[in-house]
């Protein structure tokens, strides 16, 4: 098992496999002017596979592929299949905007995908289009049901956006009454590629109070180990919902994850500005042993929490980078 300098077990890596995306969610990236990476600036699938073959025996058993939009990168489904076969990776997950082709659903099922997080910020087609700057609600809604029919565990990610989709909070909770899904309401973070954002209005307390006003007797569920969400259920529902205090950051005490950005940089906290350029290290000829040592060194120097990590930032203060290179 791997532990960091604060005694936290580390067993999870999130990989942003591309920075490109076919949507333009305003809270994630600007509509225009984004300079996407060239193909050779991304770690190749072979480089990623090598890293996972090093990390799995060290104690990393869970991988999430995210982006950008993973399926915008060519060969993604074959890569997912490769990852599913890495010895020791027992939990392969995907975060997606759900615009991928229908034919992918049975393949995702066949490779044993342990869970999909589908981002959907509104149940209303017009609001969805305003937030994502693309009219893709219908296809995402279809994929949602196809994933459920295939029996792949499904979570919905909904960023709560002041003045944009708060009218969707209650209908989203209602959806969990009928469908075996977990909706996760996420506090908006400043990773929007622009940098400016008003003070957070809809924090986790405001979200919960709003839900309680419509469902006074929701039940608190036991949060799974390493969970970043506080989980609840409306009595008798098929599904459940969670609230992620992504900006408030009061889950850091059990943080079990590291991130690999699309630029090939390791982040040991979402709020740091990148602690090690592993792509350069690999491309300068690092051996497997040197890579192992580098990971151990990084884990021996992790920030206590997201606030300390943010204070440590050398380049990007205040935070302004887009989530599309980080992966959420
Ligand atoms: N394109 C995929 C998707 O949208 O699911 C994967 C990448 S996206 C960057 C991963 C997650 O980050 C999504 O659930 C998205 O809503 C969330 N996200 C992006 N920008 C965010 C922000 N500024 N604050 C909170 N969550 C954000
Ligand atoms: Fe694309 Fe996901 Fe960012 Fe939306 S949140 S722009 S779908 S990467």
């Amino acid at each position: 098992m791997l532990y960091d300098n604060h005694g936290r077990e580390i067993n999870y890596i999130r990989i942003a496999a591309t920075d490109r995306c076919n949507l333009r969610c305003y809270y994630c990236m600007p509509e225009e002017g984004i300079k996407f990476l060239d193909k050779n600036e991304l770690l190749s699938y072979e480089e990623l596979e090598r890293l996972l073959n090093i990390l799995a025996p060290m104690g990393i058993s869970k991988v999430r592929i995210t982006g950008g939009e993973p399926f915008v990168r060519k060969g993604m489904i074959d890569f997912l299949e490769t990852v599913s076969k890495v010895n020791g990776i027992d939990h392969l997950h995907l975060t997606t905007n759900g615009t991928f082709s229908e034919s992918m659903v049975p393949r995702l099922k066949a490779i044993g995908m342990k869970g999909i997080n589908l981002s959907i910020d509104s149940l209303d087609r017009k609001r969805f289009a305003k937030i994502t700057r693309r009219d893709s609600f219908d296809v995402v809604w279809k994929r949602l049901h196809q994933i459920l029919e295939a029996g792949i565990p499904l979570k919905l990610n909904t960023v709560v956006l002041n003045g944009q989709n708060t009218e969707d909070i209650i209908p989203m909770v209602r959806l969990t009454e009928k469908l075996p899904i977990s909706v996760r309401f996420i506090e908006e973070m400043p990773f929007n590629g622009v940098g400016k954002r008003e003070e957070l209005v809809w924090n986790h307390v405001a979200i919960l109070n709003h839900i309680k006003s419509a469902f006074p007797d929701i039940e608190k569920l036991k949060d799974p180990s390493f969970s970043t969400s506080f989980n609840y259920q409306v009595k008798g529902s098929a599904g459940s919902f969670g609230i992620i205090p992504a900006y408030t950051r009061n889950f850091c005490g059990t943080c079990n994850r590291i991130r690999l950005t699309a630029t090939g940089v390791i982040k040991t906290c979402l709020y740091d500005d990148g602690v090690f350029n592993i792509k350069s290290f690999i491309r300068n000829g690092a051996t497997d042993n040197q890579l192992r040592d580098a990971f151990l060194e990084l884990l021996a120097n992790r920030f206590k929490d997201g606030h300390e990590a943010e204070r440590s930032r050398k380049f990007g203060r205040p935070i302004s980078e887009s989530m599309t290179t980080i992966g959420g």
Side-chain angles (χ1 to χ4, degrees):
M1 284 196 196
L2 273 177
Y3 289 93
D4 72 5
N5 48 323
H6 302 283
R8 294 172 293 202
E9 186 186 338
I10 309 297
N11 52 22
Y12 176 20
I13 187 165
R14 301 172 59 105
I15 298 175
T18 177
D19 60 335
R20 291 177 191 252
C21 189
N22 52 341
L23 303 188
R24 288 288 180 279
C25 307
Y26 81 88
Y27 56 81
C28 177
M29 61 164 106
E31 182 157 26
E32 282 172 3
I34 320 145
K35 194 181 168 320
F36 291 117
L37 298 166
D38 289 336
K39 190 167 173 251
N40 65 359
E41 293 178 272
L42 298 174
L43 283 168
S44 68
Y45 287 141
E46 291 72 21
E47 287 168 326
L48 291 171
E49 185 186 353
R50 176 179 173 213
L51 280 179
L52 291 176
N53 274 307
I54 291 169
L55 286 169
M58 293 175 76
I60 299 290
S61 57
K62 175 172 174 181
V63 176
R64 176 176 303 279
I65 303 300
T66 171
E69 175 50 32
F71 283 103
V72 165
R73 183 164 175 181
K74 236 174 145 183
M76 178 50 63
I77 191 74
D78 295 328
F79 174 63
L80 289 170
E81 190 166 1
T82 303
V83 177
S84 74
K85 290 179 183 155
V86 172
N87 229 339
I89 301 299
D90 304 324
H91 302 276
L92 172 59
H93 293 247
L94 176 72
T95 301
T96 173
N97 62 28
T99 56
F100 55 83
S101 115
E102 181 174 349
S103 62
M104 293 299 162
V105 179
R107 292 198 65 188
L108 290 168
K109 174 71 178 169
I111 63 177
M113 188 62 61
K114 284 287 189 304
I116 295 180
N117 285 22
L118 185 79
S119 298
I120 179 163
D121 299 312
S122 178
L123 297 176
D124 174 82
R125 192 176 160 188
K126 279 201 184 126
R127 279 199 293 277
F128 180 97
K130 192 165 172 226
I131 293 167
T132 63
R133 302 186 181 112
R134 298 289 185 272
D135 184 15
S136 303
F137 177 80
D138 293 347
V139 65
V140 175
W141 188 242
K142 240 191 200 158
R143 269 338 141 254
L144 184 160
H145 287 93
Q146 284 159 349
I147 293 166
L148 277 179
E149 278 157 28
I152 305 172
L154 180 63
K155 290 180 179 170
L156 304 186
N157 283 359
T158 301
V159 184
V160 178
L161 304 157
N162 193 33
Q164 298 292 329
N165 67 351
T166 51
E167 54 273 75
D168 285 289
I169 297 176
I170 302 303
M172 284 278 191
V173 174
R174 290 227 162 85
L175 209 57
T176 71
E177 293 186 283
K178 292 179 235 109
L179 301 179
I181 50 173
S182 168
V183 175
R184 294 130 51 83
F185 298 104
I186 306 173
E187 284 179 355
E188 186 186 1
M189 294 179 272
F191 297 94
N192 54 22
V194 183
K196 279 202 197 120
R197 197 204 59 180
E198 61 187 45
E199 268 310 297
L200 186 68
V201 177
W202 286 86
N203 63 19
H204 63 111
V205 179
I207 298 169
L208 183 61
N209 286 341
H210 181 67
I211 295 172
K212 278 183 174 166
S213 69
F215 300 96
D217 35 74
I218 49 169
E219 286 178 321
K220 176 80 189 75
L221 301 177
K222 188 173 180 306
D223 299 321
S225 345
F226 312 117
S227 176
T228 53
S229 55
F230 299 116
N231 298 284
Y232 303 85
Q233 189 173 46
V234 178
K235 256 192 198 153
S237 295
S240 61
F241 69 91
I243 302 173
I244 304 186
Y247 185 65
T248 307
R249 288 163 262 182
N250 48 6
F251 46 63
C252 303
T254 54
C255 180
N256 64 338
R257 60 201 62 190
I258 56 175
R259 290 175 167 79
L260 174 55
T261 70
T263 51
V265 168
I266 296 283
K267 284 162 81 78
T268 57
C269 173
L270 175 57
Y271 282 86
D272 68 39
D273 56 2
V275 288
F276 187 61
N277 189 330
I278 199 133
K279 181 177 68 187
S280 303
F281 197 51
I282 292 175
R283 294 187 181 172
N284 285 328
T287 64
D288 288 3
N289 273 337
Q290 286 171 327
L291 282 162
R292 247 175 244 122
D293 289 347
F295 278 113
L296 292 176
E297 174 81 17
L298 289 170
L299 296 188
N301 290 288
R302 266 184 108 214
F303 301 105
K304 177 168 67 72
D305 57 32
H307 298 285
E308 187 179 282
E310 187 175 353
R311 284 194 297 274
S312 81
R313 292 168 68 95
K314 290 183 194 69
F315 315 112
R317 284 189 84 173
I319 290 168
S320 65
E321 65 266 37
S322 165
M323 195 64 102
T324 191
T325 54
I326 302 170

